[in-house]
Amino acid sequence: MNNIHISNPKLLEEKISKIKSDGSTTFHVVSDFDKTLTPAFINGKKAETGISQLRAGGYLSPEYVEKAYALHAKYYPIEIDETLSIEERSRFMLEWWTEHLKIMIQYGLNKEVIDDIIKKRKLRPREGSLEFYLLLNQLNIPLLIFSAGKGNLIKGFLKQEESLYPNIHIIANFYNFDEKGNVTGYKSNIVHTFNKSEVQLRNHPYSKQIKERKNVMLLGDGIGDLGMTVGIEHDTILRIGFLNENPEKLPLFEKEFDVVITNDGSMEYINNLLKRMFNTH
């Protein structure tokens, strides 16, 4: 597959051998959601994330749309500016997510909107991802989906795809609702692009499941996703990155990830790797 880039094959093989010899009971997976487990493009057009569905779907008032796009125009260039430190960008992302939550509440986001986005299948699975979920469930390997997106949408999407298996845990921005179904806030601290860290897991049931699982596969589509395994002790971290666009970033991704999948590729390489490591067919 010419969209698979491995900068250090020797190191990769060492990690694979270690994971294979230790077995599936010592292994878990931590993954981003948008543009990692979902495609970045559909029919040549940029795929809409859960949050962009709200902006583009006409669900809330034109004033909401205008303000949401203004926030995107202000903060998105900061999110992707590699010249700024993670700390700087993190501060701005917290501002963005906080301001956006305020306008979602102000303009009446509710359960019906979220249910409609799910029902209309506006979120799509990346090719091979449904097999990926099934495979991990069959192998009894825990999967943590760690997302700066909307937890309610992710959970609803997996349920609709019949892939919400008991081994899957989601840490994301889940909404609180009032008795009328209107959004009133988030259930916990805001998760944004640059504050993903397993440190947030300490009080989560998932942390008990992975206590003895010292080997991990990390999947993400941005450098900020590398923080998802910071703070929890691991023996081996196998990092796989999706570089869906901006091919000029390949050298940076190759430096940070063991494997880079370009061109919005499928999960085939990852599924085959899991089968190889744990002798399944």
Side-chain angles (χ1 to χ4, degrees):
M1 291 189 275
N2 60 6
N3 67 328
I4 306 297
H5 303 264
I6 299 162
S7 58
N8 190 336
K10 184 172 179 287
L11 177 62
L12 175 63
E13 282 306 314
E14 284 170 8
K15 289 186 177 188
I16 290 169
S17 295
K18 173 80 166 71
I19 291 167
K20 187 172 182 174
S21 66
D22 289 351
S24 61
T25 57
T26 67
F27 182 73
H28 71 114
V29 180
V30 178
S31 180
D32 174 49
F33 184 72
D34 285 318
K35 300 176 190 170
T36 298
L37 296 174
T38 64
F41 295 90
I42 296 171
N43 301 326
K45 291 182 180 177
K46 279 200 175 188
E48 290 180 347
T49 61
I51 205 63
S52 61
Q53 301 282 355
L54 279 180
R55 290 195 300 258
Y59 288 107
L60 304 179
S61 72
E63 290 85 357
Y64 161 79
V65 175
E66 191 181 321
K67 288 182 181 180
Y69 275 117
L71 287 173
H72 186 270
K74 178 181 176 181
Y75 288 107
Y76 183 66
I78 297 170
E79 180 182 351
I80 61 171
D81 188 347
E82 304 287 353
T83 65
L84 297 174
S85 69
I86 293 290
E87 289 73 25
E88 280 180 282
R89 288 191 278 172
S90 186
R91 186 164 49 82
F92 284 112
M93 292 308 100
L94 187 58
E95 270 181 30
W96 183 5
W97 265 248
T98 304
E99 288 304 309
H100 190 241
L101 176 62
K102 282 181 192 169
I103 63 169
M104 286 190 291
I105 293 169
Q106 181 185 352
Y107 291 103
L109 178 61
N110 57 47
K111 269 183 181 168
E112 283 179 21
V113 170
I114 292 160
D115 291 344
D116 193 65
I117 290 172
I118 294 162
K119 190 175 76 186
K120 286 182 175 164
R121 292 190 181 272
K122 297 206 170 193
L123 297 178
R124 301 280 181 85
R126 184 180 288 277
E127 188 184 338
S129 63
L130 300 186
E131 184 190 351
F132 168 75
Y133 299 131
L134 179 62
L135 201 51
L136 291 179
N137 184 53
Q138 288 170 339
L139 290 163
N140 202 24
I141 292 169
L143 165 64
L144 173 67
I145 295 175
F146 213 148
S147 174
K150 309 304 170 199
N152 308 76
L153 282 173
I154 295 168
K155 194 172 180 180
F157 163 81
L158 289 172
K159 204 171 179 181
Q160 185 160 269
E161 297 295 336
E162 298 183 351
S163 297
L164 188 61
Y165 300 112
N167 63 314
I168 294 178
H169 301 260
I170 303 165
I171 292 184
N173 296 306
F174 281 91
Y175 293 118
N176 273 325
F177 300 97
D178 65 16
E179 65 282 356
K180 291 179 180 172
N182 294 315
V183 169
T184 59
Y186 289 133
K187 286 184 183 291
S188 55
N189 293 341
I190 287 174
V191 182
H192 60 71
T193 315
F194 298 110
N195 73 344
K196 292 176 181 180
S197 161
E198 283 196 349
V199 174
Q200 298 200 38
L201 285 178
R202 295 255 165 91
N203 300 317
H204 195 277
Y206 188 77
S207 60
K208 288 177 187 161
Q209 278 205 21
I210 61 161
K211 207 171 179 189
E212 304 304 321
R213 292 176 181 265
K214 299 296 186 186
N215 299 323
V216 60
M217 177 188 283
L218 180 149
L219 306 177
D221 71 306
I223 300 302
D225 292 326
L226 294 165
M228 293 189 294
T229 53
V230 171
I232 299 286
E233 205 179 301
H234 292 105
D235 291 342
T236 308
I237 303 177
L238 176 53
R239 299 176 179 90
I240 301 179
F242 285 88
L243 182 59
N244 298 309
E245 50 186 330
N246 304 322
E248 71 280 359
K249 288 187 178 180
L250 183 59
L252 173 65
F253 269 61
E254 283 187 318
K255 193 175 143 207
E256 300 290 351
F257 291 95
D258 299 296
V259 181
V260 181
I261 300 172
T262 56
N263 303 331
D264 204 18
S266 74
M267 303 284 287
E268 184 185 0
Y269 175 86
I270 295 164
N271 292 339
N272 288 340
L273 186 56
L274 288 168
K275 290 171 189 174
R276 179 186 157 196
M277 289 192 298
F278 304 118
N279 298 316
T280 57
H281 301 289

